[in-house]
Amino acid sequence: MTDDVPVERVLRPLHTTTWKFLALLVLLGLGMLLFLEAWITQLRNGLIMTGLGDWGTGGGVPWGMYIGSFIWWVGIAHGGIAVSAAVRVFKMDQFEPIARIGEIVTLVALPMAAANIVFDLGGPDRLINTMIMWPQTVHHSPLAWDVAVVSLYLVLSMTYLTLTMRAELYALMDRVPRYLRPVYGLLLLGYRPEEDEKAEQMAYWLAIAILALVPLLSGGVVPWLFSLVGAQPGWFGAATGPAMLFESLASAIAFVIVVGAAFRYAYDWEFIDDAVFRGLTKALTVLSMAVLWFLLHDTLSGVYAAPVQDEALTETLLTMPLFWVAVAGITIPALYMLATIVRPSAYSLPAVVAGAISVSIAIWIKKLIFVVEGLLYPTTPPLANLYPTGSYSPTAIEWVVVVSTVVIAALLIALATKIIPMVELDPEEI
């Protein structure tokens, strides 16, 4: 816990509501209404309102933007709380001001990931069926594993956040607005100050468990759902797991940079200083370079003496403007951020934020292409003789619903600032 963080400034969002904050809520609320209209339209009319279609002889893809966005959100979720866990386990005191932001990012990203599964299934009732039938479907259903991964990480993340907050909330009980006290009372159910030492130990070991699970889930279970399917060109491959792990961590670091900078700007939190953002920028630079390195390997192995289906797929990718948008969206910010490391005077927080947004969007595009490509080009025998090359064009409904998940995430983070301190405080300093 950071000792030099001014308590009053951290608590200010709990006590004051500016017109800018209200304007932001109105803007995000309008985005919510647009989302509801699009989703209700899909619920009423079915998945025919999307560009998704039957795979194989139907020439469509059953997975598109929704599943691509699911992978993107899961990666952000895994990396967000990993930042906080790394701060605790490796004693990275410098980054303590953004540790809780990473935890909140995870707790917001996980529901957004789950929501994309619901969108793809067609309705909430089908998710309930997936959960009820989990023991029977887990052997063959990728979505059953997706539900398991999201549920496991959500429980771990909520437990971790609760453990790290209880002593702080207890100390804050008399300093928060009256309407929040029932909420704090619920979070402090059964709390005794004597539990603090034990809770700290539990949080430490839970942080280690979270760090151990990140490569297993973000670089294991989720990519295995694709990389073990040999019939789909573009999916099968030993490097899919490590590549997805680096993409997930890069997306998460980028998201934390954007959210952290937003808090610094909105509340004048200069204690989230440039040293924090410079450190995050170095991490994002390394991760972006790693993403490009795996992308280079994929492309090179796909065009040089590759199996016929992989060669055709890679050549098709190289003609897609969207593919090059993704490459540029990672390469240009990575080069700039590398320049800030070599020449520190080139550092600019707005430029770093713009680069983080670019990297995050580019990785989302890459994940969308990854999900769709293997279903569009089922050229591996015996499928080559059965199925035609497919097509997929996302509809306006899909675009609105997917973009709205970012709006909903922003709304949830904004509301969280009115409930709990967004920076961890030392109870003894409160």
Side-chain angles (χ1 to χ4, degrees):
M1 288 159 280
T2 308
D3 295 331
D4 55 356
V5 169
V7 176
E8 294 300 332
R9 292 173 69 184
V10 172
L11 297 182
R12 194 171 66 184
L14 302 180
H15 293 281
T16 62
T17 302
T18 65
W19 69 267
K20 292 180 179 177
F21 182 83
L22 293 175
L24 177 65
L25 286 187
V26 170
L27 188 64
L28 296 175
L30 291 175
M32 274 289 296
L33 292 177
L34 192 62
F35 157 73
L36 288 174
E37 181 182 0
W39 191 34
I40 290 172
T41 300
Q42 179 180 313
L43 288 174
R44 284 180 173 174
N45 300 281
L47 289 173
I48 196 171
M49 298 303 297
T50 70
L52 303 173
D54 291 335
W55 177 68
T57 55
V61 296
W63 290 354
M65 291 183 75
Y66 294 152
I67 297 300
S69 298
F70 159 75
I71 303 172
W72 185 67
W73 278 115
V74 163
I76 291 172
H78 289 169
I81 200 165
V83 172
S84 174
V87 169
R88 184 173 299 275
V89 173
F90 300 115
K91 311 294 184 187
M92 301 162 66
D93 298 346
Q94 176 187 2
F95 296 98
E96 282 184 350
I98 49 90
R100 180 157 296 160
I101 291 175
E103 296 164 17
I104 298 299
V105 163
T106 291
L107 288 178
V108 167
L110 284 171
M112 296 304 102
N116 276 282
I117 295 179
V118 175
F119 303 149
D120 187 79
L121 288 172
D125 56 313
R126 295 182 179 178
L127 179 63
I128 295 173
N129 288 339
T130 301
M131 297 175 72
I132 293 174
M133 298 300 294
W134 193 86
Q136 288 77 35
T137 59
V138 68
H139 306 292
H140 57 82
S141 170
L143 291 182
W145 276 101
D146 292 341
V147 170
V149 167
V150 171
S151 301
L152 172 64
Y153 220 69
L154 186 61
V155 170
L156 285 176
S157 302
M158 292 180 68
T159 304
Y160 181 78
L161 179 62
T162 304
L163 281 175
T164 57
M165 280 199 314
R166 282 166 67 89
E168 182 184 340
L169 298 185
Y170 182 74
L172 284 172
M173 183 63 92
D174 295 329
R175 298 189 59 174
V176 297
R178 189 177 299 276
Y179 68 89
L180 283 178
R181 292 176 188 173
V183 179
Y184 281 32
L186 185 63
L187 292 171
L188 289 169
L189 199 62
Y191 174 81
R192 293 177 302 168
E194 294 78 16
E195 75 177 40
D196 291 349
E197 183 178 353
K198 184 65 69 177
E200 182 63 25
Q201 293 173 357
M202 292 173 65
Y204 176 82
W205 287 108
L206 195 53
I208 291 178
I210 288 169
L211 290 175
L213 280 173
V214 168
L216 182 62
L217 298 181
S218 229
V221 174
V222 174
W224 288 339
L225 299 177
F226 298 90
S227 64
L228 301 182
V229 183
Q232 308 298 144
W235 287 5
F236 184 77
T240 303
M244 275 199 180
L245 176 61
F246 284 114
E247 290 168 4
S248 298
L249 294 175
S251 299
I253 296 290
F255 217 86
V256 170
I257 288 176
V258 174
V259 177
F263 276 111
R264 172 169 151 165
Y265 170 77
Y267 296 108
D268 197 23
W269 284 354
E270 294 296 332
F271 54 82
I272 308 180
D273 56 24
D274 283 344
V276 173
F277 288 106
R278 285 178 185 274
L280 292 174
T281 301
K282 290 177 183 177
L284 182 57
T285 304
V286 173
L287 293 167
S288 298
M289 291 295 182
V291 171
L292 291 172
W293 181 248
F294 278 102
L295 189 60
L296 175 65
H297 276 274
D298 272 349
T299 305
L300 183 62
S301 60
V303 296
Y304 184 78
V308 175
Q309 63 276 8
D310 288 318
E311 183 177 2
L313 180 61
T314 306
E315 289 177 351
T316 303
L317 283 178
L318 295 177
T319 64
M320 294 173 58
L322 197 60
F323 172 77
W324 291 107
V325 168
V327 172
I330 301 172
T331 304
I332 295 173
L335 290 176
Y336 165 71
M337 291 184 289
L338 183 62
T340 66
I341 297 173
V342 177
R343 186 183 290 271
S345 61
Y347 168 83
S348 161
L349 182 55
V352 167
V353 171
I357 293 173
S358 176
V359 168
S360 194
I361 293 174
I363 289 177
W364 176 82
I365 293 173
K366 188 174 180 302
K367 291 187 180 299
L368 171 63
I369 293 175
F370 172 77
V371 169
V372 171
E373 63 180 356
L375 296 168
L376 286 182
Y377 305 100
T379 55
T380 301
L383 303 180
N385 300 325
L386 298 175
Y387 301 150
T389 298
S391 63
Y392 172 61
S393 298
T395 64
I397 293 286
E398 288 173 272
W399 278 106
V400 171
V401 169
V402 166
V403 173
S404 294
T405 57
V406 179
V407 173
I408 296 170
L411 180 61
L412 293 176
I413 291 174
L415 293 176
T417 64
K418 310 303 290 182
I419 300 174
I420 61 171
M422 296 302 289
V423 177
E424 189 172 350
L425 299 169
D426 186 343
E428 296 180 359
E429 301 293 327
I430 295 174

